[in-house]
Amino acid sequence: MRAALRHSNVSHLLCYHQRHILKPKTPRLPHLVTSKHLGVGQSALREVSQRSSDDGTMRIPVVIDTDVGDDIDDSWALAYLLSNPKCDVKLVVTALGDSERHLQRAGCVRKLLQHAGQMHVPVALGIDSWGTGRAATPETRIDCALAAWAAPATLDEVIQDGVGAMLDVFATSPLPVTVVSLAPMCNVAALVNHSAGTDVLQNVNLVGMAGSVREGYGGKGTAPCAEYNVACDPEAFASSLAGPWKSVRLAPVDICNGNVIRGEHFQRLVRCEDPLIAALLESYASWVKNSRVAAKYYPQLDPKCESTVLFDVVAAFLASKPGDAGGLMQLEQCALNVTTEGFTELDEDDEGTSRSGTAAICALNWVEGGLDSFAEQVVQTLSCARKPLE
């Protein structure tokens, strides 16, 4: 779905006009049952112990929030995080949609986990919401293009309350947890709402693929746009951004443009015998065949030769590289205002000094040679031999 809006000519999404700035507030949501009341699948959360990487350093505890199945870059990001020796995936939560769509997404996740040898990782369902923004109308919804590929999937261990499951991970982790948001932030806003008045998020980092700060889809010279993950639910994004996190880092459209794996990098993955990568490429071929987005916007795409633009992989990479993003990205402290249309506007004076917008660290550009190094590191992470975790 994101791919469709990324190529859309809809004026209210892609050009500036007079807009209303949202004041960060948490949407009013129904009381959420905590995961301790669920029973089925809950024991999996308790069984995921803290693990160290091969060099003895503690791995980063990660919770992934994803609308996998609609666009294909979520699958690439999931495979990257599951393959990364620096990351310890504690939980995957489905985002965006009704109960049927959440179950389809859960099926996609479970199949990837199966091929990764990581079925111990719990999967949970997010809140039922398609978002409230202009990008979330029924006309913009498409089928989950990977539903057929994922079926049949074992869903008996899926946790029903994704927000409660996230809170459980935070409560039981001895290290700061990083939430990697690859979707409209309906779940994340619910998490902020549910934890209001507590300090539970003060030891949690938020990393998201979201926003468009100085450039829009298409790269250099394009005006900032209403990026899909924000435009789908601007109020949820504003509330999420303003939460009391330990840190907030964003990979906006600015740095994601042009992130395509092709050539020898892609062929290394084709030659890779790892079961997870084989499943990833199989799902990619299925997505190209079944996705109306792929048919409309990528009619000449050959899934044996190159990827689509891998927006979400940039956020996954950023989450795996605390601090200076591996020295590959230019990080900038930004003050952002979120509009009702889903624009993320810089709030700065004529001299570039930040004013009163909500603070976030944004990866806006690659250092010289950074994009090539990024592609090399992503492919190396995906294609290296991995031992399934016990």
Side-chain angles (χ1 to χ4, degrees), residues 167-224:
L167 290 170
D168 252 23
V169 171
F170 303 158
T172 57
S173 176
L175 295 176
V177 177
T178 296
V179 173
V180 184
S181 176
L182 309 175
M185 293 193 183
C186 310
N187 290 335
V188 181
L191 181 64
V192 172
N193 180 49
H194 197 64
S195 60
T198 74
D199 60 358
V200 67
L201 298 183
Q202 293 179 10
N203 205 36
V204 179
N205 301 296
L206 175 64
V207 176
M209 190 282 119
S212 170
V213 180
R214 292 198 173 97
E215 295 178 5
Y217 297 126
K220 299 292 184 183
T222 58

